[in-house]
Amino acid sequence: MVMALAMFHQAMQLTVVAGYESGHTIVLQHSNGSAGAKSTWRRLCVFQPHSQPVLSLDISPSKTFYCTSSADAVIAKHPLLPGPHGSVPDPLNILHTNHSGQQGLKFRSDGTIFATAGWDSKIRVYAAGSMKELAVLKWHTAGCYAVAFAELHGGETKSSETADPGPAIGANEIARTQREQPLIRAVEQRRIDRVKSTHWLAAGSKDGKVSLWDIY
């Protein structure tokens, strides 16, 4: 049974990564074929790093590897392409975390870290490169099943709108307001910019609550 899926385009070809109840993960690539030929799916890699069902997987933003988590205590890192001459490569890294039931694995948009949601009610953050555990977030009172990172987008522009001066007031009050308004707008804009530039991490739990974290 298929437990988790991810999909992306690699070299203009549709690529699908699937995780199975058996603990296997498979990378498949679609080929349109030559003129008049049928399109086909080609299996690039097969791995079985897990002894229990795959619960989640995600592809790195760089599209060079993917990670899987399982009902066992293993988080595994895999290449997306076969080895030389089509040989089956080994997993890039296998981390025995001693914490079974980590799921909802998600990479942050800059590709430097990823997070998992744990049945033990904890959210764990790992370095994408070394897979070292960086943080354990504790707040929920029941198992966690989902995490999400805010995706940052460039090109945000500051608002050029000016504030309504309001009803007529005295000259001194107008002068003071004109001096304070730029400062107030600057403070408000800094707050808005900070919110937009923060890699927020959200986590959902069986306790019915969603927590929001600002880390790294």
Side-chain angles (χ1 to χ4, degrees):
M1 181 170 70
V2 177
M3 302 291 290
L5 288 168
M7 183 167 57
F8 70 107
H9 280 90
Q10 181 172 257
M12 302 300 292
Q13 292 182 306
L14 185 63
T15 304
V16 174
V17 183
Y20 290 82
E21 188 178 19
S22 62
H24 288 83
T25 69
I26 297 178
V27 182
L28 301 165
Q29 193 167 77
H30 184 261
S31 175
N32 291 324
S34 57
K38 286 186 176 180
S39 62
T40 58
W41 284 94
R42 182 166 63 101
R43 188 170 65 184
L44 298 183
C45 305
V46 180
F47 304 99
Q48 189 176 13
H50 302 289
S51 60
Q52 296 188 43
V54 174
L55 296 178
S56 63
L57 62 86
D58 198 20
I59 298 167
S60 69
S62 64
K63 305 296 189 293
T64 55
F65 65 90
Y66 68 100
C67 288
T68 56
S69 69
S70 168
D72 59 21
V74 170
I75 295 177
K77 182 179 181 181
H78 318 270
L80 283 163
L81 293 173
H85 310 294
S87 62
V88 178
D90 294 326
L92 299 174
N93 201 341
I94 295 179
L95 177 65
H96 297 273
T97 67
N98 298 319
H99 305 290
S100 60
Q102 296 188 63
Q103 64 182 69
L105 189 152
K106 291 291 181 184
F107 281 97
R108 197 166 72 175
S109 59
D110 62 1
T112 59
I113 63 175
F114 64 88
T116 61
W119 293 351
D120 60 359
S121 77
K122 298 177 177 64
I123 301 100
R124 290 180 169 84
V125 181
Y126 298 89
S130 65
M131 293 183 68
K132 178 182 177 181
E133 185 179 271
L134 301 176
V136 180
L137 309 178
K138 306 174 185 179
W139 184 77
H140 291 283
T141 58
C144 294
Y145 294 89
V147 296
F149 281 105
E151 185 174 352
L152 301 188
H153 298 280
E156 297 280 1
T157 57
K158 297 182 179 181
S159 173
S160 60
E161 295 180 359
T162 57
D164 184 348
I169 52 179
N172 292 337
E173 187 65 19
I174 291 176
R176 185 177 66 82
T177 301
Q178 289 176 340
R179 289 194 303 271
E180 292 178 352
Q181 279 183 346
L183 297 175
I184 294 171
R185 286 198 296 269
V187 171
E188 291 175 347
Q189 190 61 53
R190 281 198 297 270
R191 290 173 180 170
I192 293 171
D193 290 344
R194 181 180 179 277
V195 170
K196 289 182 177 181
S197 62
T198 298
H199 286 283
W200 297 104
L201 170 61
S205 167
K206 190 177 179 180
D207 60 17
K209 299 174 183 177
V210 176
S211 57
L212 190 63
W213 307 82
D214 176 11
I215 59 171
Y216 304 112

